[in-house]
């Protein structure tokens, strides 16, 4: 006789606020994956070298860094997620308009940086709002769905850019189409507001769960601070109230329970909660508090971080310069070659849809090596032939590998940080900025001297370096199931 499970099946609540957040992240994804092939077409319009054109990715990365640093202040200043997200989309629209309106390097470079500022704000605010609205149980799944939606929306972007260029109406028309898309989104869902219960109190999010933001999310710790402060409150608080807030599963207000025992159990429950959240609990006032520094991170963490930088470099080199190699090797028109990014993004969309579930069943080391191996096979297909069909297929396979590399390495780094998850997250984001700022520029610089085909050998060098870094950092205790489906 089989037993029937009585545990409820958790599902993401797809209310209006959740759908709006999904679509707002999708609007940014449309811009991002239209922006990459546009750089190659802008190079032709302004008669730039590949190295100079690659500076646009460097400026974009500088903007991402500035936006990441200012995101907490920005969201608080505007009064919460809803106004911050809409004003972020307005800023993105204006910066895209500036990028397209003035065909001069002195304008396009700073416009790319401004796009990076508002793009990073959107990428941080959306996962944070989803975590707050859905809590620790279904929040990670909601963030996963949001990234999957964004990836599928992004598939259309390079198709639009390539189609517009091939039709003779100009790639700028396709990139600018993100502006009316944002306008339509506001007309349809502009009145939707964040639920009052979500803004009242934020739920803590487990470190491993936060990886589903794919390096773009923030872990909200307001709930954690509230729990810690309440655990050290005065004796005037009733035991039943303490028990309801801290333990939940126990009735700490039993008639025979002493007040001291209640507080001890509450403090123990709070400690267990905080161990699974970010950041570490504040120490009592009579103990000194020392801020974590880079020296607190282990050598293994920094070796793993090298792999993360390589993973970011691979993704942006593929999306930024694959159209150039398609034109050079397969002799495709500029418009058709620009759609090569679609193959990469399609592979990423599929990989991000199934990646979380795979991580529940496959050891994390094995999955990381499989992702880099898949990437290497896809690149070999793309690089070694001049057949456009095979090249597009190779890009799709490479995108499949790219999809999970960075989030898995970010999760690995957090586990190696010995509880310094916020510091590890900051290093991960900074490393991603370094990758975006330097790798596409370096590939473009080399292509001006040795040709794009030879210059693209940087990618297998990045892949091999990343795999060596993962192997060198050794095995570690990574609990299965940390990354939710």
């Amino acid at each position: 006789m089989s037993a029937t499970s009585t545990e409820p099946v958790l599902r993401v609540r797809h209310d209006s606020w959740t759908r709006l957040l999904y679509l707002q992240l999708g609007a940014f994804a449309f811009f991002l994956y239209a922006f990459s092939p546009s750089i190659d077409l802008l190079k032709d319009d302004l008669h730039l070298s590949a190295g100079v054109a690659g500076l646009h990715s460097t400026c974009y990365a500088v903007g991402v860094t500035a936006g990441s640093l200012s995101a907490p202040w920005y969201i608080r200043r505007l009064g919460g997620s809803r106004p911050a997200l809409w004003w972020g989309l307005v800023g993105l629209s204006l910066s895209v308009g500036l990028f397209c309106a003035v065909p001069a390097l002195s304008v396009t470079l700073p416009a790319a940086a401004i796009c990076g500022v508002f793009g990073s704000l959107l990428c941080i605010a959306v996962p944070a709002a989803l975590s707050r609205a859905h809590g620790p149980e279904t929040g990670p799944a909601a963030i996963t769905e949001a990234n999957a939606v964004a990836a599928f929306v992004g598939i259309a972007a390079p198709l639009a850019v390539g189609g517009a260029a091939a039709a003779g109406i100009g790639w700028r028309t396709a990139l600018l189409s993100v502006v009316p898309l944002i306008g339509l989104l506001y007309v349809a869902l502009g009145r939707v507001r964040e639920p009052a219960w979500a803004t009242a109190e934020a739920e803590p999010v487990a470190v491993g769960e936060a990886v589903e933001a794919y390096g773009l999310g923030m872990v909200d710790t307001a709930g954690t601070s509230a729990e810690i402060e309440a655990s050290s409150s005065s004796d005037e608080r009733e035991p039943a109230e303490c028990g309801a807030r801290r333990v939940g599963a126990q009735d700490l207000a039993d008639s025979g329970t002493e007040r001291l025992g209640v507080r001890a159990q509450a403090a123990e429950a709070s400690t267990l909660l905080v161990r699974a959240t970010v950041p570490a609990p504040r120490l009592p006032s009579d103990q000194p508090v020392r801020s974590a520094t880079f020296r607190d991170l282990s050598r293994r963490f920094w070796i793993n971080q090298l792999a993360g930088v390589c993973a970011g470099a691979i993704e942006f080199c593929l999306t930024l310069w694959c159209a150039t190699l398609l034109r050079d090797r397969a002799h495709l028109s500029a418009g058709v070659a620009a759609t090569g990014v679609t193959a990469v993004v399609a592979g990423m969309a599929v990989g991000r849809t199934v990646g979380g579930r795979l991580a529940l069943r496959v050891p994390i080391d094995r999955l990381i090596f499989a992702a880099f191996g898949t990437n290497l096979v896809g690149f070999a297909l793309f690089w070694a032939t001049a057949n456009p069909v095979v090249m597009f297929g190779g890009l799709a396979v490479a995108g499949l590998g790219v999809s999970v590399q960075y989030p898995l390495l970010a999760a690995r780094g957090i586990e190696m940080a010995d509880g310094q998850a916020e510091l590890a997250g900051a290093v991960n984001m900074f490393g991603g900025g370094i990758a975006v700022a330097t790798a596409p520029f370096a590939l473009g610089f080399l292509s001006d001297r040795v040709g794009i085909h030879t210059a693209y050998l940087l990618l297998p060098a990045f892949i091999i370096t990343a795999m060596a870094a993962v192997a060198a950092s050794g095995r570690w205790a990574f609990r299965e199931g940390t990354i939710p489906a």
Side-chain angles (χ1 to χ4, degrees):
M1 182 175 64
S2 60
T4 303
S5 176
T6 59
E7 294 184 2
V9 178
L10 295 176
R11 290 185 175 88
V12 176
R13 183 184 62 260
H14 295 119
D15 53 20
S16 298
W17 175 244
T18 300
R19 290 194 295 270
L20 173 62
L21 293 172
Y22 286 6
L23 294 175
Q24 286 175 324
L25 190 61
F28 166 74
F30 185 92
F31 152 76
L32 181 63
Y33 294 117
F35 179 73
S36 293
S38 297
I39 297 300
D40 186 58
L41 298 172
L42 177 68
K43 175 175 71 71
D44 294 342
D45 288 354
L46 301 183
H47 306 291
L48 305 174
S49 66
V52 173
L55 287 174
H56 288 88
S57 66
T58 302
C59 290
Y60 178 83
V62 171
V64 168
T65 303
S68 301
L69 295 174
S70 61
W73 172 87
Y74 167 80
I75 295 173
R76 287 195 305 267
R77 181 72 175 175
L78 291 179
S81 297
R82 180 181 179 272
L85 285 166
W86 283 120
W87 281 112
L89 288 171
V90 170
L92 182 65
S93 299
L94 293 175
S95 54
V96 168
L98 181 63
F99 182 83
C100 295
V102 183
L105 197 63
S106 59
V107 175
T108 56
L109 288 175
I114 299 172
C115 288
V117 171
F118 287 104
S120 66
L121 295 174
L122 290 166
C123 288
I124 289 172
V126 168
L130 286 171
S131 296
R132 189 164 53 247
H134 292 271
E137 290 186 329
T138 58
I143 296 172
T144 304
E145 289 185 355
N147 280 274
V149 169
F152 279 107
V153 171
I155 292 174
L159 287 175
V161 172
I169 60 177
W171 58 268
R172 290 178 175 83
T173 303
L175 185 57
L176 281 171
S177 64
V178 71
V179 178
L181 285 176
I182 292 172
L184 288 174
L185 183 59
Y186 183 78
V187 171
L189 296 172
R191 295 182 180 272
V192 174
R193 296 183 178 276
E194 188 171 9
W197 50 264
T199 58
E201 183 175 0
E203 295 287 344
V205 181
V207 171
E209 294 169 343
V211 71
E212 288 301 337
Y214 294 104
L216 302 177
M218 288 180 64
V219 177
D220 197 305
T221 59
T224 303
S225 300
E227 294 286 349
I228 300 166
E229 291 175 359
S231 70
S232 60
S233 61
S234 68
D235 288 345
E236 296 178 359
R237 181 160 298 180
E238 291 297 329
E241 180 183 357
C242 291
R245 284 196 182 181
R246 302 298 186 278
V247 186
Q250 292 180 306
D251 183 10
L252 298 182
D254 290 343
S255 57
T257 303
E258 294 292 337
R259 189 179 300 270
L260 183 60
V262 172
R263 291 176 59 116
Q265 294 182 51
E268 181 181 358
S270 295
T271 301
L272 293 175
L273 171 67
V274 171
R275 284 176 182 170
T277 56
V278 182
R282 290 180 293 174
L283 298 174
S285 57
D286 58 342
Q287 298 184 30
V289 178
R290 186 181 70 85
S291 299
T293 66
F294 292 142
R295 293 182 179 179
D296 295 319
L297 299 173
S298 66
R299 181 178 299 177
R300 290 197 306 164
F301 170 87
W302 291 108
I303 297 175
N304 179 78
Q305 184 59 33
L306 172 62
V309 172
C310 290
I314 293 164
E315 177 178 348
F316 277 86
C317 284
L318 268 178
T319 56
L320 191 59
W321 293 120
C322 67
T324 302
L325 187 59
L326 284 168
R327 293 168 62 182
D328 185 70
R329 293 278 288 174
H331 306 293
L332 300 178
S333 66
V336 175
T339 63
V341 181
T342 300
V344 180
V345 180
M348 292 173 63
V350 174
R352 288 183 174 177
T353 301
V354 302
R357 289 175 173 82
L358 281 176
L360 290 171
R361 297 167 176 82
V362 180
I364 204 74
D365 277 21
R366 189 179 304 169
L367 191 57
I368 290 175
F369 282 117
F372 280 114
T374 302
N375 198 338
L376 191 59
V377 170
F379 171 79
L381 291 172
F382 169 64
W383 185 83
T385 183
N387 186 306
V389 176
V390 178
M391 293 182 77
F392 273 82
L395 287 173
V397 174
L400 192 65
V402 164
S403 64
V404 295
Q405 288 170 182
Y406 186 83
L408 293 180
L409 289 167
R412 192 177 192 250
I414 288 174
E415 292 297 324
M416 288 181 171
D418 296 328
Q420 305 298 336
E422 282 191 329
L423 186 61
V427 173
N428 285 332
M429 182 164 286
F430 184 75
I434 291 176
V436 179
T438 58
F441 169 75
L443 197 154
F445 179 82
L446 283 176
S447 70
D448 289 333
R449 284 150 181 79
V450 298
I452 186 65
H453 188 249
T454 303
Y456 242 127
L457 289 175
L458 270 180
L459 257 70
F462 286 141
I463 294 172
I464 294 170
T465 301
M467 295 177 73
V470 172
S473 59
R475 295 187 178 275
W476 69 101
F478 195 104
R479 188 177 60 214
E480 290 188 8
T482 300
I483 304 176

